[in-house]
Every structure is written in C-alpha cells, then in structure tokens.
Amino acid sequence: MECDVTKDDHIARVFEQIGKRFGKLHLLLHSVAFAPKDALEGEFVDTSREAFRVAHDVSAYSLVALARGAAPLMTGGGSIVAMTYYGSEKVVPHYNVMGVAKASLEASARYLAYDLGPKKIRVNCISAGPVNTLAARGIAGFTEMLRHYETHAPLKRNVLPDELGATGVFLASDGAAAITGQVIYVDCGYQIMGM
Ligand code: 0WE
C-alpha cells in the first residue's frame, strides 16, 4: 500500500485497509527518514527552515501520526519499533539535521510509550550501527565510516541486517513485555566508547 507519511489521508487509508483485511495489528515498524541531500552535505549551521521542517516531518512526526493510526488496531497490546541512529546524541559530521530529527524521534518514542503504556502498547527505538543500504550508498565517506566502526567497536565488526531484524523480533515478542520507551543499541558496542 502506498503511504506517504507526510500525508494524513495516506496514513488513514493504510490503517483502514489493515483494519478491514486483518482486524487487528501487533507490530508497527517505523523505518523511514529523509533530509534534503544538500542538508547532509554542508554545515549544520546552514540548514534551511524548509530542510529542517521536511526532515522533522518525514523522520519524526511520522512516528506520532502512525502510532495514532495503529493504536486503535492494537487491541491486544502491541509493539512499536522505530529505527534511529547515534547521530541523535553525539555529533556525527554531515549527519546534521538528521541527528536533530532522530533526537526528536527518540523523545517522541518516550512520550508515546507513556501515552500508550496503559493500552499495553510498547514503543522502543533500535539504534543501528551503520548498514550499507541503498540510502547509505549516496553518502560521501560511508565506506570509511564502516571501517571506523570495525576498528573502534568492541566487537571489531559491523552489525549485520539479520541482527537488526532479530532485535526487532525480540522487541515484538513477549520477551520484551516489560521494555518500553528505550533506545536499544545494536551497534557492536560502539556507543559505549569514549575514545
Ligand atoms: O539515517 C540515516 C540516513 C537517512 C537519510 C539518507 C538520505 C540519503 C539521500 C536521510 N535523508 C537522505 N536524503 C537523501 O537525499 N543513516 C543512519 C545513514 C547515514 O546517513 C549519514 C550518515 C549515516 C550513518 C549522513 C551523514 C553522515 C553519516
């Protein structure tokens, strides 16, 4: 189903269809982000009002809108999982406005966890180490970044897509029944390092 997360009518239609076809919903995975390319290339200080708005609308507000659409279908409780990145808490050169939008996404997950907790809906973030996806391929210096993680992460390697998937499955399962509002680092330990 087509879903432009900047359009309320798209989101409404998706959950309407899900309601009709399945009756209920257990898991929502939020894995969408966008900042205009020029905002990821220059300096953060030059971020335009429009690039800031678009990055936050697509990458952070969308979680709030999707959670609001999903919650009425999560009648037996549910799990909402959002993908985030370390650039939300420390400066990663060139991540720029995406880092600010991911900080907003993580904070939004905490407030959603509080609101939806009484309905047994949990809301968590997976903070992934860098993965060589289509979106990452356009980023200058990405190969060097993968090498940096390999050298500096405690596990001396990069995270595998399956390992991120396994964490998502865990967060969807009853094994994670008491975990909500958290950011879980799936980054081979990179986040614990100070130097
Ligand atoms: O969140 C991301 C990137 C998401 C993303 C990617 C693009 C590329 C194409 C958002 N907007 C756009 N806009 C485009 O026009 N990551 C975690 C991957 C990423 O992106 C970086 C990184 C890492 C890591 C950008 C600069 C520095 C590091």
Side-chain angles (χ1 to χ4, degrees):
M1 284 174 261
E2 184 185 350
C3 187
D4 179 338
V5 296
T6 66
K7 301 210 159 75
D8 289 335
D9 57 318
H10 281 218
I11 293 173
R13 194 178 49 209
V14 161
F15 289 111
E16 207 176 288
Q17 293 295 311
I18 291 167
K20 276 189 203 146
R21 249 196 261 180
F22 303 109
K24 63 179 188 169
L25 187 63
H26 301 92
L27 171 68
L28 171 71
L29 175 66
H30 180 281
S31 186
V32 59
F34 179 77
K37 193 155 182 65
D38 52 303
L40 298 174
E41 285 173 347
E43 293 188 0
F44 175 69
V45 70
D46 293 322
T47 306
S48 69
R49 191 182 296 276
E50 181 61 8
F52 190 100
R53 187 195 66 74
V54 167
H56 283 73
D57 190 14
V58 176
S59 313
Y61 180 75
S62 59
L63 178 68
V64 184
L66 290 165
R68 191 164 58 246
L73 290 167
M74 291 180 162
T75 48
S79 175
I80 298 176
V81 177
M83 301 307 296
T84 188
Y85 177 63
Y86 183 62
S88 65
E89 60 178 272
K90 290 288 162 62
V91 173
V92 174
H94 307 300
Y95 199 58
N96 295 358
V97 72
M98 268 313 305
V100 181
K102 288 300 193 187
S104 169
L105 176 77
E106 291 171 19
S108 298
R110 288 188 284 272
Y111 280 89
L112 290 169
Y114 175 70
D115 282 354
L116 302 178
K119 294 180 172 152
K120 289 193 182 167
I121 298 170
R122 299 176 292 101
V123 187
N124 294 287
C125 297
I126 293 175
S127 188
V131 178
N132 200 357
T133 57
L134 190 60
R137 243 159 265 168
I139 291 147
F142 196 78
T143 309
E144 291 72 63
M145 183 175 226
L146 290 173
R147 244 204 338 265
H148 179 85
Y149 269 72
E150 253 177 54
T151 311
H152 294 91
L155 296 178
K156 303 295 174 214
R157 64 178 182 85
N158 280 293
V159 65
L160 302 167
D162 280 3
E163 297 172 322
L164 295 167
T167 305
V169 169
F170 166 66
L171 285 173
S173 78
D174 286 339
I179 302 176
T180 196
Q182 300 302 308
V183 178
I184 298 188
Y185 292 86
V186 185
D187 64 349
C188 298
Y190 185 87
Q191 187 266 348
I192 67 167
M193 301 305 294
M195 197 181 158

